[in-house]
Amino acid sequence: MEIPKRIRNPIKKRKVSEPVTALQNEEQEGLYVFLTFEDGYTARICKTCDILTEKESPITSFEGLIPGARVLARWSDNKFYNATVDHIGFYDQKQDPRKGAKKDIKRNYASAESFYNQNRVASAPAEHGPSSALTQPPSPGLPPTQHQSVQLPCSVKPFNPQPMTPSEYCNQDQPGFLDLDEHQRQTITHNSTPKETFLGLLYNPSIPHPSAEVTIQDDQLGLEPEEYEDPTVRSQNSSYENEQWEQCETCKLEVQALLKENKMMKDVLSSMNLEHLQVLREFIDKMEDYKSRESGVLMPQTRPGQQELYPDSGLLLSSTKLAAIHQESKKDCLRLFHLLFDQFFTHEECSNSVAFGKHGKVPEGKTILDKSKVNGILTYVMSCGKCHGWKPVEKSKLKKALINKCRMRST
DNA sequence: GTGACATTAAGTTTGCCATT
DNA sequence: AATGGCAAACTTAATGTCAC
């Protein structure tokens, strides 16, 4: 079965190069707009310049926006699309995720690694996300496994089976790798609205939930509009803001059922270890293979969320991983090279190989590193070096780094 | 703040091969 | 045979991290 590609027909477009005023580019202090695009994808927008009115006029403040309002919102491709405002929210600016870069590369990378693994455990294999805090709700047409709400850098497109070229990747703004835990903080904050408190109740932050930021439609709770007060309207009244959400009789049973389900999920997750997941993954691979042969339909070679470094490179890695690597590299081609090398070559491979071999000859007992992988990495890194803002590297230096890297990694 | 240690970048030497 | 190019191997310097 072919996984449907995410298609978005640009209904309204605006020139990317169109300048934005300083005022437009400013973030609203502590405010964000949570909205839903026509195809069901959601986004959390922090900048006023990322939203236009329905008539394509810029806005200067979020305050004029009301839930249900039709607007045009910027997606990761820098184009504007029709969207509907869900609610205006407040976040804690003291914890700006973009200012959390650590100096320790190894620790930083380890955290990305940790997140990556954790994410695979919690919601594998969905590892893609849209721009600046975009999230994906369950939407018709996509398998459930492709939904997740983890914050990703804007350079990663949401469910995009088509790989990005290095220039595509690099030409995008890199606002920083948003704090990977941010989505958890957002679910419950001391300024949570009743609705957010409710969502926090549902999705205990101790359990990474694949759709923690998904907006629950009111009709899914079986409530009539008059049975409750819209919390987003409430939020405009500061006196209400600090009140904790209290369950009414109507939704008490629903909450209990959801909490029970939540507990069951927690039990399942805590009982699983990495070995179980590995076995499960292998089982799924075999099932895919079997079903593929049985139906005669070619299954996609890549898991959802994986992408090639560049088209036909054959070098696959998850969008999340690539985003983490880009963030770690800090637009330094050599850093990028080392991170990609670590990603694609194991210690074992390096210890049994040399980088290039002398004119095709290799030392006794050794082989040459996979040329396609080597060339792919070198090509990608060199391509990145041509992009604006990147610190380029000479090819000779890169080759030397490769030789050193291979040797160092083999020891 | 300091020293030990690890990692990385870069310089140098050596050997092999192709070309002239 | 001389020369130049290329890559491996070795070495050193610079930098960052961590424990004390």
Side-chain angles (χ1 to χ4, degrees), chain A residues 1-233:
Chain A
M1 185 184 76
E2 191 174 348
I3 296 177
K5 293 180 182 177
R6 182 178 177 281
I7 300 173
R8 184 195 295 283
N9 295 321
I11 301 161
K12 303 276 186 180
K13 287 186 182 177
R14 190 190 195 197
K15 288 181 182 176
V16 175
S17 57
E18 188 170 332
V20 291
T21 65
L23 179 63
Q24 284 176 301
N25 206 24
E26 283 179 1
E27 291 184 23
Q28 289 270 285
E29 282 200 7
L31 288 178
Y32 67 85
V33 175
F34 198 91
L35 45 76
T36 303
F37 288 95
E38 283 186 328
D39 56 3
Y41 281 72
T42 60
R44 185 171 64 85
I45 305 285
C46 301
K47 294 180 178 180
T48 52
C49 63
D50 289 337
I51 294 182
L52 301 174
T53 66
E54 202 171 15
K55 295 178 181 177
E56 300 187 39
S57 307
I59 63 170
T60 56
S61 165
F62 289 154
E63 290 171 7
L65 299 175
I66 57 171
R70 301 279 298 166
V71 295
L72 300 173
R74 194 197 300 270
W75 185 252
S76 56
D77 59 2
N78 264 342
K79 293 170 184 171
F80 285 80
Y81 301 94
N82 286 336
T84 305
V85 173
D86 286 333
H87 68 269
I88 315 293
F90 183 87
Y91 64 89
D92 188 355
Q93 281 189 312
K94 290 175 183 175
Q95 294 184 325
D96 188 345
R98 289 160 295 183
K99 295 177 182 175
K102 295 175 184 175
K103 286 185 179 178
D104 188 332
I105 292 174
K106 285 179 68 179
R107 257 201 316 227
N108 211 358
Y109 190 79
S111 64
E113 182 90 31
S114 169
F115 159 75
Y116 173 65
N117 292 332
Q118 179 190 357
N119 197 34
R120 282 170 54 172
V121 169
S123 57
E127 287 159 356
H128 26 268
S131 78
S132 58
L134 296 171
T135 56
Q136 299 178 23
S139 60
L142 288 179
T145 53
Q146 289 162 5
H147 302 142
Q148 80 156 14
S149 63
V150 176
Q151 303 294 330
L152 293 172
C154 76
S155 46
V156 180
K157 289 183 176 180
F159 181 54
N160 182 10
Q162 300 300 318
M164 298 173 75
T165 64
S167 55
E168 280 178 330
Y169 214 113
C170 304
N171 285 339
Q172 297 191 46
D173 291 338
Q174 286 207 308
F177 197 81
L178 294 179
D179 191 330
L180 297 172
D181 295 326
E182 187 196 27
H183 69 291
Q184 292 186 0
R185 282 204 306 275
Q186 287 168 347
T187 52
I188 298 180
T189 68
H190 64 281
N191 281 322
S192 297
T193 62
K195 186 173 184 176
E196 288 164 341
T197 308
F198 172 69
L199 289 176
L201 264 175
L202 295 183
Y203 306 123
N204 184 334
S206 62
I207 304 175
H209 194 284
S211 56
E213 282 193 343
V214 170
T215 303
I216 292 184
Q217 298 300 317
D218 299 325
D219 55 1
Q220 290 175 325
L221 293 175
L223 299 178
E224 292 300 321
E226 59 270 21
E227 292 181 17
Y228 65 98
E229 189 174 5
D230 187 345
T232 54
V233 175

